[in-house]
Every structure is written in structure tokens, then in C-alpha cells.
Amino acid sequence: MTERDSAPAGDGGSGSGAAPLVAILTGAGISTDSGIPDYRGPQGVWRRDPEAEKLVTYAYYMADPDIRRRSWALRGESPVWRARPNTAHDAIARLDASGTPVRVITQNVDGLHQAAGVPERKVLELHGNARSVVCTACGARSTMESALTRVGAGEADPACLECGGVLKSATVMFGQALDAEVLGSAAAVARACDVFLAVGTSLQVQPAASLAGLAAEHGARLVVVNAEPTPYDALADEVVRDPISESLPTLLAALHG
């Protein structure tokens, strides 16, 4: 890794004598070795079946009961329920356990960072979490497990038990805005960190992708770990194309010596 000049204390750096703050932005690529396919890669879901994108597009979902029925069926078959953290998730959890200040900013909705042992409060889920369900009318929340139990019992498009409204997974669909508080916290981490790793993300989806540029602007070392080129490669101090499950443990081990 090529060192950048030290950022001034208070302007992104952790300050002299403090342990470096490591921010890790993760995308679908970190979870492919856990059996969860990515979306935009060469074999991604959207490239293989562009029509599938409608199932996670808010306008289509709200307007068409058939889209909702297909979406619920797809959720029940999701590989997320069988997935377990892989060596890359475990490496991040080890870095956190070592005492190095770590914040995970993830575009994933699979909950695998928490399953690997990263504390909930240190994980910012930009796109929500697939393990919960929310009512689009009253905001009531429940578990995905309970909703899928209803689907399995014959309710192809289960309604909210509180108000009868349309239920959806507690994830950000296409056409929905990200949670402003979560995004604000992620931006604050990007400005404050000393090292920013973008792992398994195409860095094409905004505003999440802009966090990499924000971190670099504030003096962080930027490392991109992704099989395919990204728009931020030219800005990075290091670009790694090796498989994530192999390369990330080595990169992170070097951070805590």
C-alpha cells in the first residue's frame, strides 16, 4: 500500500497517537463465497435476468400484486437463509476484535457481518436488512421469518396485521431513498477514517459509491478490492483484483500487525 500524507487531526485522520480508524465498504462481491450471487458482475442476477429487477423496484412492487406474489416466492427461496459468513467476513470481525477501530458500511442486506461477530452498532446497513419486514403504510415491523411462514401457509401476498397495508422486506428497493440518518453516519465515518477499503462493490451505485471519494478527499488511504474495474480505481492507493476471500484476510492482518 502506498502511504498518503497524514491527514490533519480533526480533518479525517484519527490524530497523532490514536489507533487508525478503518472503514470498510462492502458490496455483493464479499458474499458470493457464502453462496449469495451478486447483481452487477459478469454472472450477476441483473445480467442473467433483467426482468428480475422489477421484483425489487418499488413502483412495480406497490402497483402490481403479481409482482408482490413473485417477490414473496423469491424471498422464500433466497440463498440468504442458508448463507454463513466466509473468510472475508471473519477477517473483518477479527480486525474489530483486535482492538482496531472498525466501522463497516455495507450495501448488502444479508446480515453476515453481524453473524461473523461484528457488533450491530458498528455495521451501517445502507440498503437495510432482508431479515425484517416493514409495512409501507403504518411502518410496523416484524420478522421475515414470520412473514414467510404466512406465505408458506398460503398467503401469497401477506398484508400487514396491524393495518392491512402492503408489506415488503426492510430493504431499500430501486426507486426508494436511502435512510438519511444511516447515510449521514456513513458519510461521517468516511470523512473521519484513516483507511477506507471498498470491497466487492462495483462503486457504481450512488450515493454509496461516493463514500470512497469522500474518504480519499479527507486524507484516507483508499484500497479497492474488486474483481472488475471501478470508477474509483484511479483514485485508489491500491487496487486488488485477487479473490476477496483470499486477499482481504491478508490485507486486514497487516492493519493490526
Side-chain angles (χ1 to χ4, degrees):
M1 251 177 247
T2 303
E3 296 281 352
R4 285 186 184 272
D5 293 336
S6 298
D11 185 25
S14 58
S16 178
L21 173 61
V22 179
I24 306 174
L25 172 66
T26 62
I30 197 173
S31 293
T32 55
D33 279 353
S34 293
I36 302 175
D38 70 0
Y39 296 95
R40 298 178 188 278
Q43 300 301 317
V45 172
W46 305 147
R47 294 198 188 186
R48 288 187 286 107
D49 182 11
E51 283 293 305
E53 194 166 332
K54 290 183 178 180
L55 304 183
V56 289
T57 298
Y58 190 74
Y60 286 114
Y61 186 87
M62 295 300 294
D64 189 342
D66 183 59
I67 289 286
R68 292 200 295 275
R69 287 191 288 269
R70 290 168 59 196
S71 295
W72 282 110
L74 186 66
R75 290 175 187 131
E77 299 169 358
S78 173
V80 167
W81 316 129
R82 302 183 298 275
R84 296 293 180 268
N86 60 53
T87 57
H89 298 103
D90 292 339
I92 294 173
R94 282 197 302 274
L95 180 65
D96 174 69
S98 76
T100 299
V102 173
R103 292 296 183 272
V104 176
I105 305 166
T106 187
Q107 295 172 273
N108 298 340
V109 298
D110 51 39
L112 291 181
H113 289 297
Q114 297 93 316
V118 180
E120 188 82 34
R121 66 182 179 83
K122 295 184 179 183
V123 181
L124 294 168
E125 295 178 308
L126 294 176
H127 296 160
N129 192 297
R131 298 176 188 274
S132 297
V133 170
V134 63
C135 175
T136 59
C138 72
R141 286 182 174 258
S142 54
T143 66
M144 179 61 74
E145 183 179 10
S146 64
L148 290 177
T149 297
R150 293 172 62 190
V151 173
E155 294 184 65
D157 181 18
C160 175
L161 295 175
E162 299 291 330
C163 74
V166 172
L167 292 179
K168 64 178 287 293
S169 63
T171 58
V172 179
M173 288 183 163
F174 291 116
Q176 285 189 290
L178 272 61
D179 183 286
E181 183 176 349
V182 174
L183 182 59
S185 296
V189 168
R191 287 191 294 267
C193 69
D194 299 274
V195 181
F196 188 100
L197 294 99
V199 181
T201 171
S202 64
L203 294 177
Q204 293 180 17
V205 178
Q206 299 292 354
S210 66
L211 296 170
L214 183 62
E217 288 172 12
H218 284 76
R221 291 186 303 173
L222 176 60
V223 182
V224 174
V225 186
N226 198 58
E228 300 292 319
T230 82
Y232 290 84
D233 288 358
L235 191 63
D237 295 278
E238 184 173 359
V239 175
V240 178
R241 300 280 185 237
D242 298 329
I244 293 168
S245 293
E246 298 173 12
S247 60
L248 191 63
T250 301
L251 286 169
L252 298 187
L255 293 178
H256 64 77

